[in-house]
Short mmCIF file of all heavy atoms in Angstrom, two decimals:
data_model
loop_
_atom_site.label_atom_id
_atom_site.label_comp_id
_atom_site.label_asym_id
_atom_site.label_seq_id
_atom_site.Cartn_x
_atom_site.Cartn_y
_atom_site.Cartn_z
N VAL A 43 14.39 -30.24 7.16
CA VAL A 43 15.07 -28.96 7.40
C VAL A 43 16.26 -28.90 6.45
O VAL A 43 17.10 -29.79 6.44
CB VAL A 43 15.52 -28.85 8.87
CG1 VAL A 43 16.27 -27.54 9.09
CG2 VAL A 43 14.32 -28.95 9.80
N PHE A 44 16.29 -27.86 5.64
CA PHE A 44 17.31 -27.71 4.61
C PHE A 44 18.23 -26.53 4.91
O PHE A 44 17.90 -25.65 5.69
CB PHE A 44 16.66 -27.42 3.25
CG PHE A 44 16.15 -28.60 2.51
CD1 PHE A 44 15.93 -29.82 3.11
CD2 PHE A 44 15.85 -28.48 1.16
CE1 PHE A 44 15.44 -30.91 2.40
CE2 PHE A 44 15.37 -29.56 0.44
CZ PHE A 44 15.16 -30.77 1.06
N ALA A 45 19.34 -26.52 4.19
CA ALA A 45 20.24 -25.37 4.12
C ALA A 45 20.73 -25.28 2.68
O ALA A 45 20.86 -26.30 2.01
CB ALA A 45 21.41 -25.55 5.07
N THR A 46 21.00 -24.09 2.23
CA THR A 46 21.59 -23.90 0.90
C THR A 46 22.98 -23.32 1.07
O THR A 46 23.19 -22.40 1.85
CB THR A 46 20.74 -22.95 0.03
OG1 THR A 46 19.42 -23.48 -0.07
CG2 THR A 46 21.33 -22.82 -1.36
N ILE A 47 23.91 -23.89 0.32
CA ILE A 47 25.29 -23.42 0.32
C ILE A 47 25.57 -22.87 -1.08
O ILE A 47 25.58 -23.63 -2.05
CB ILE A 47 26.26 -24.56 0.68
CG1 ILE A 47 25.93 -25.11 2.07
CG2 ILE A 47 27.70 -24.09 0.58
CD1 ILE A 47 26.67 -26.39 2.43
N GLY A 48 25.77 -21.57 -1.16
CA GLY A 48 25.95 -20.91 -2.45
C GLY A 48 24.63 -20.35 -2.92
O GLY A 48 23.74 -21.11 -3.30
N LEU A 49 24.48 -19.02 -2.89
CA LEU A 49 23.17 -18.42 -3.12
C LEU A 49 23.05 -17.52 -4.34
O LEU A 49 21.99 -16.96 -4.59
CB LEU A 49 22.76 -17.63 -1.88
CG LEU A 49 22.47 -18.52 -0.68
CD1 LEU A 49 22.56 -17.73 0.60
CD2 LEU A 49 21.13 -19.17 -0.82
N TRP A 54 19.79 -19.32 -5.37
CA TRP A 54 18.53 -18.74 -4.94
C TRP A 54 17.36 -19.39 -5.67
O TRP A 54 16.29 -19.62 -5.09
CB TRP A 54 18.50 -17.22 -5.12
CG TRP A 54 17.13 -16.72 -4.81
CD1 TRP A 54 16.22 -16.20 -5.67
CD2 TRP A 54 16.48 -16.75 -3.52
NE1 TRP A 54 15.05 -15.90 -5.00
CE2 TRP A 54 15.19 -16.24 -3.68
CE3 TRP A 54 16.88 -17.18 -2.25
CZ2 TRP A 54 14.28 -16.13 -2.63
CZ3 TRP A 54 15.98 -17.08 -1.20
CH2 TRP A 54 14.71 -16.56 -1.40
N THR A 57 16.53 -22.67 -4.05
CA THR A 57 16.02 -22.43 -2.70
C THR A 57 14.58 -21.97 -2.76
O THR A 57 13.70 -22.52 -2.08
CB THR A 57 16.89 -21.39 -1.97
OG1 THR A 57 18.23 -21.88 -1.89
CG2 THR A 57 16.37 -21.11 -0.57
N PHE A 61 10.70 -23.97 -1.01
CA PHE A 61 10.02 -23.55 0.21
C PHE A 61 8.79 -24.40 0.52
O PHE A 61 8.47 -24.64 1.67
CB PHE A 61 9.60 -22.08 0.15
CG PHE A 61 10.74 -21.11 0.23
CD1 PHE A 61 10.81 -20.03 -0.62
CD2 PHE A 61 11.75 -21.29 1.16
CE1 PHE A 61 11.86 -19.14 -0.55
CE2 PHE A 61 12.81 -20.40 1.24
CZ PHE A 61 12.86 -19.32 0.38
N ASP A 65 11.69 -26.57 5.28
CA ASP A 65 11.99 -25.35 6.01
C ASP A 65 13.49 -25.10 5.92
O ASP A 65 14.28 -26.03 6.07
CB ASP A 65 11.59 -25.50 7.48
CG ASP A 65 10.09 -25.69 7.65
OD1 ASP A 65 9.32 -25.03 6.91
OD2 ASP A 65 9.70 -26.49 8.51
N PHE A 66 13.87 -23.86 5.69
CA PHE A 66 15.29 -23.52 5.57
C PHE A 66 15.77 -22.93 6.89
O PHE A 66 15.33 -21.87 7.30
CB PHE A 66 15.53 -22.56 4.41
CG PHE A 66 15.51 -23.27 3.09
CD1 PHE A 66 14.31 -23.61 2.49
CD2 PHE A 66 16.68 -23.67 2.49
CE1 PHE A 66 14.28 -24.30 1.30
CE2 PHE A 66 16.67 -24.37 1.30
CZ PHE A 66 15.46 -24.69 0.71
N ALA A 67 16.68 -23.64 7.53
CA ALA A 67 17.21 -23.21 8.81
C ALA A 67 18.48 -22.39 8.65
O ALA A 67 18.86 -21.65 9.55
CB ALA A 67 17.50 -24.41 9.70
N ALA A 68 19.17 -22.56 7.50
CA ALA A 68 20.46 -21.88 7.33
C ALA A 68 20.75 -21.64 5.86
O ALA A 68 20.34 -22.41 4.99
CB ALA A 68 21.58 -22.72 7.95
N LEU A 69 21.48 -20.57 5.62
CA LEU A 69 21.99 -20.23 4.29
C LEU A 69 23.46 -19.89 4.44
O LEU A 69 23.85 -19.30 5.45
CB LEU A 69 21.25 -19.03 3.71
CG LEU A 69 19.73 -19.15 3.56
CD1 LEU A 69 19.15 -17.82 3.07
CD2 LEU A 69 19.35 -20.27 2.62
N ALA A 70 24.26 -20.25 3.43
CA ALA A 70 25.69 -19.95 3.48
C ALA A 70 26.16 -19.41 2.15
O ALA A 70 25.80 -19.94 1.09
CB ALA A 70 26.48 -21.21 3.85
N ASP A 71 26.96 -18.36 2.22
CA ASP A 71 27.59 -17.80 1.02
C ASP A 71 28.75 -16.92 1.48
O ASP A 71 28.66 -16.26 2.50
CB ASP A 71 26.59 -16.97 0.21
CG ASP A 71 27.06 -16.75 -1.22
OD1 ASP A 71 28.02 -15.97 -1.43
OD2 ASP A 71 26.47 -17.36 -2.13
N LEU A 77 24.40 -13.03 0.67
CA LEU A 77 23.87 -13.75 1.82
C LEU A 77 22.77 -12.94 2.51
O LEU A 77 21.67 -13.45 2.76
CB LEU A 77 25.00 -14.08 2.79
CG LEU A 77 24.63 -14.87 4.04
CD1 LEU A 77 24.01 -16.21 3.70
CD2 LEU A 77 25.88 -15.06 4.91
N ASN A 80 19.49 -12.70 0.51
CA ASN A 80 18.75 -13.96 0.44
C ASN A 80 18.19 -14.39 1.80
O ASN A 80 17.16 -15.05 1.86
CB ASN A 80 19.62 -15.06 -0.16
CG ASN A 80 19.77 -14.86 -1.66
OD1 ASN A 80 18.82 -14.96 -2.40
ND2 ASN A 80 20.98 -14.54 -2.09
N VAL A 81 18.83 -14.00 2.87
CA VAL A 81 18.27 -14.25 4.20
C VAL A 81 16.96 -13.48 4.33
O VAL A 81 15.95 -14.03 4.80
CB VAL A 81 19.28 -13.87 5.31
CG1 VAL A 81 18.58 -13.78 6.66
CG2 VAL A 81 20.41 -14.88 5.38
N THR A 84 14.27 -15.13 2.20
CA THR A 84 13.85 -16.39 2.80
C THR A 84 12.94 -16.13 3.99
O THR A 84 11.92 -16.81 4.16
CB THR A 84 15.08 -17.23 3.22
OG1 THR A 84 15.86 -17.50 2.06
CG2 THR A 84 14.67 -18.54 3.87
N GLN A 88 9.14 -17.69 4.23
CA GLN A 88 8.76 -18.74 5.18
C GLN A 88 8.40 -18.21 6.57
O GLN A 88 8.16 -18.98 7.49
CB GLN A 88 9.85 -19.80 5.28
CG GLN A 88 11.15 -19.33 5.91
CD GLN A 88 12.19 -20.44 6.00
OE1 GLN A 88 12.05 -21.50 5.40
NE2 GLN A 88 13.24 -20.19 6.75
N LYS A 90 10.14 -17.04 8.83
CA LYS A 90 11.14 -17.39 9.85
C LYS A 90 12.51 -17.10 9.26
O LYS A 90 12.82 -17.51 8.15
CB LYS A 90 11.02 -18.87 10.20
CG LYS A 90 11.96 -19.28 11.31
CD LYS A 90 11.77 -20.75 11.68
CE LYS A 90 12.75 -21.12 12.77
NZ LYS A 90 12.72 -22.54 13.05
N LYS A 91 13.33 -16.41 10.04
CA LYS A 91 14.65 -16.02 9.56
C LYS A 91 15.63 -17.19 9.68
O LYS A 91 15.82 -17.74 10.76
CB LYS A 91 15.17 -14.83 10.36
CG LYS A 91 16.48 -14.28 9.85
CD LYS A 91 16.90 -13.05 10.64
CE LYS A 91 18.20 -12.49 10.10
NZ LYS A 91 18.60 -11.29 10.84
N PRO A 92 16.27 -17.56 8.57
CA PRO A 92 17.29 -18.61 8.65
C PRO A 92 18.59 -18.03 9.21
O PRO A 92 18.84 -16.83 9.10
CB PRO A 92 17.47 -19.04 7.20
CG PRO A 92 17.19 -17.80 6.42
CD PRO A 92 16.10 -17.09 7.19
N ASP A 93 19.40 -18.88 9.80
CA ASP A 93 20.72 -18.45 10.24
C ASP A 93 21.59 -18.27 9.01
O ASP A 93 21.38 -18.92 7.98
CB ASP A 93 21.34 -19.49 11.17
CG ASP A 93 20.56 -19.63 12.47
OD1 ASP A 93 19.97 -18.64 12.92
OD2 ASP A 93 20.55 -20.74 13.03
N SER A 94 22.58 -17.39 9.11
CA SER A 94 23.44 -17.13 7.96
C SER A 94 24.89 -17.40 8.32
O SER A 94 25.32 -17.11 9.44
CB SER A 94 23.25 -15.69 7.46
OG SER A 94 23.59 -14.77 8.47
N TYR A 95 25.62 -17.94 7.35
CA TYR A 95 27.02 -18.30 7.57
C TYR A 95 27.85 -17.94 6.35
O TYR A 95 27.43 -18.15 5.21
CB TYR A 95 27.15 -19.82 7.81
CG TYR A 95 26.37 -20.31 9.00
CD1 TYR A 95 25.10 -20.83 8.85
CD2 TYR A 95 26.91 -20.25 10.28
CE1 TYR A 95 24.39 -21.30 9.93
CE2 TYR A 95 26.20 -20.71 11.38
CZ TYR A 95 24.94 -21.23 11.19
OH TYR A 95 24.23 -21.69 12.27
N LYS A 96 29.05 -17.42 6.60
CA LYS A 96 30.02 -17.22 5.51
C LYS A 96 30.78 -18.51 5.24
O LYS A 96 31.22 -18.75 4.13
CB LYS A 96 31.00 -16.10 5.87
CG LYS A 96 30.35 -14.72 5.82
CD LYS A 96 31.38 -13.63 5.92
CE LYS A 96 31.93 -13.42 4.54
NZ LYS A 96 32.66 -12.19 4.35
N ASP A 97 30.92 -19.35 6.26
CA ASP A 97 31.68 -20.61 6.15
C ASP A 97 30.69 -21.78 6.15
O ASP A 97 30.00 -22.02 7.15
CB ASP A 97 32.64 -20.73 7.32
CG ASP A 97 33.58 -21.91 7.20
OD1 ASP A 97 33.26 -22.89 6.49
OD2 ASP A 97 34.65 -21.88 7.84
N TYR A 98 30.61 -22.49 5.04
CA TYR A 98 29.66 -23.60 4.91
C TYR A 98 29.88 -24.70 5.94
O TYR A 98 28.95 -25.44 6.29
CB TYR A 98 29.73 -24.21 3.50
CG TYR A 98 30.97 -25.04 3.26
CD1 TYR A 98 30.97 -26.40 3.53
CD2 TYR A 98 32.14 -24.46 2.77
CE1 TYR A 98 32.10 -27.17 3.32
CE2 TYR A 98 33.26 -25.22 2.57
CZ TYR A 98 33.24 -26.57 2.84
OH TYR A 98 34.37 -27.34 2.64
N GLU A 100 30.18 -24.47 9.04
CA GLU A 100 29.32 -24.24 10.21
C GLU A 100 27.92 -24.81 9.97
O GLU A 100 27.26 -25.29 10.91
CB GLU A 100 29.25 -22.75 10.53
CG GLU A 100 30.59 -22.19 11.01
CD GLU A 100 30.50 -20.71 11.32
OE1 GLU A 100 29.83 -20.36 12.31
OE2 GLU A 100 31.09 -19.92 10.56
N VAL A 101 27.46 -24.79 8.74
CA VAL A 101 26.18 -25.41 8.39
C VAL A 101 26.27 -26.92 8.58
O VAL A 101 25.38 -27.54 9.16
CB VAL A 101 25.79 -25.08 6.93
CG1 VAL A 101 24.57 -25.90 6.49
CG2 VAL A 101 25.53 -23.59 6.75
N LEU A 102 27.36 -27.50 8.12
CA LEU A 102 27.52 -28.95 8.22
C LEU A 102 27.65 -29.44 9.66
O LEU A 102 27.30 -30.58 9.96
CB LEU A 102 28.73 -29.41 7.40
CG LEU A 102 28.70 -29.08 5.91
CD1 LEU A 102 29.94 -29.64 5.21
CD2 LEU A 102 27.42 -29.55 5.25
N ASP A 103 28.10 -28.57 10.55
CA ASP A 103 28.22 -28.93 11.97
C ASP A 103 26.87 -29.01 12.68
O ASP A 103 26.76 -29.62 13.74
CB ASP A 103 29.09 -27.91 12.71
CG ASP A 103 30.56 -28.03 12.34
OD1 ASP A 103 30.97 -29.09 11.84
OD2 ASP A 103 31.30 -27.05 12.57
N ARG A 104 25.85 -28.43 12.09
CA ARG A 104 24.53 -28.39 12.75
C ARG A 104 23.84 -29.75 12.64
O ARG A 104 23.77 -30.34 11.57
CB ARG A 104 23.66 -27.31 12.11
CG ARG A 104 24.16 -25.94 12.48
CD ARG A 104 23.30 -24.85 11.95
NE ARG A 104 21.89 -25.02 12.28
CZ ARG A 104 21.00 -24.04 12.17
NH1 ARG A 104 21.39 -22.85 11.76
NH2 ARG A 104 19.74 -24.26 12.45
N ASP A 106 20.60 -30.23 13.33
CA ASP A 106 19.19 -30.09 12.99
C ASP A 106 18.92 -30.01 11.49
O ASP A 106 17.77 -30.00 11.06
CB ASP A 106 18.60 -28.86 13.68
CG ASP A 106 19.25 -27.56 13.21
OD1 ASP A 106 20.47 -27.56 12.92
OD2 ASP A 106 18.55 -26.54 13.14
N ILE A 107 19.94 -29.97 10.68
CA ILE A 107 19.77 -29.85 9.23
C ILE A 107 19.81 -31.24 8.60
O ILE A 107 20.78 -31.98 8.77
CB ILE A 107 20.83 -28.91 8.63
CG1 ILE A 107 20.59 -27.50 9.17
CG2 ILE A 107 20.79 -28.94 7.11
CD1 ILE A 107 21.61 -26.48 8.77
N ASP A 108 18.74 -31.56 7.86
CA ASP A 108 18.61 -32.88 7.24
C ASP A 108 19.34 -32.97 5.90
O ASP A 108 19.88 -34.01 5.56
CB ASP A 108 17.14 -33.21 7.00
CG ASP A 108 16.33 -33.21 8.28
OD1 ASP A 108 16.77 -33.85 9.25
OD2 ASP A 108 15.26 -32.56 8.32
N ALA A 109 19.31 -31.88 5.14
CA ALA A 109 19.87 -31.92 3.79
C ALA A 109 20.41 -30.55 3.41
O ALA A 109 19.95 -29.52 3.91
CB ALA A 109 18.80 -32.34 2.79
N VAL A 110 21.39 -30.57 2.50
CA VAL A 110 21.94 -29.33 1.97
C VAL A 110 21.80 -29.31 0.46
O VAL A 110 21.84 -30.36 -0.20
CB VAL A 110 23.43 -29.11 2.36
CG1 VAL A 110 23.58 -28.96 3.85
CG2 VAL A 110 24.30 -30.21 1.84
N MET A 111 21.60 -28.12 -0.05
CA MET A 111 21.59 -27.90 -1.49
C MET A 111 22.85 -27.11 -1.82
O MET A 111 23.10 -26.08 -1.20
CB MET A 111 20.33 -27.17 -1.91
CG MET A 111 19.09 -27.96 -1.57
SD MET A 111 17.56 -27.44 -2.37
CE MET A 111 17.53 -25.71 -2.09
N LYS A 131 24.44 -35.51 6.23
CA LYS A 131 23.42 -34.75 5.49
C LYS A 131 23.14 -35.42 4.15
O LYS A 131 24.03 -35.95 3.51
CB LYS A 131 23.90 -33.32 5.20
CG LYS A 131 24.50 -32.57 6.37
CD LYS A 131 23.47 -32.19 7.39
CE LYS A 131 24.08 -31.32 8.47
NZ LYS A 131 24.06 -31.93 9.77
#
Side-chain angles (χ1 to χ4, degrees):
V43 178
F44 278 17
T46 302
I47 300 170
L49 291 160
W54 174 249
T57 300
F61 289 135
D65 296 321
F66 283 79
L69 302 176
D71 198 288
L77 182 59
N80 286 294
V81 165
T84 300
Q88 67 179 12
K90 184 178 179 187
K91 185 177 182 179
D93 295 329
S94 60
Y95 300 96
K96 288 190 83 164
D97 187 337
Y98 73 90
E100 293 180 69
V101 171
L102 301 182
D103 288 340
R104 290 183 52 165
D106 63 325
I107 294 175
D108 301 311
V110 296
M111 299 195 311
K131 313 289 186 244

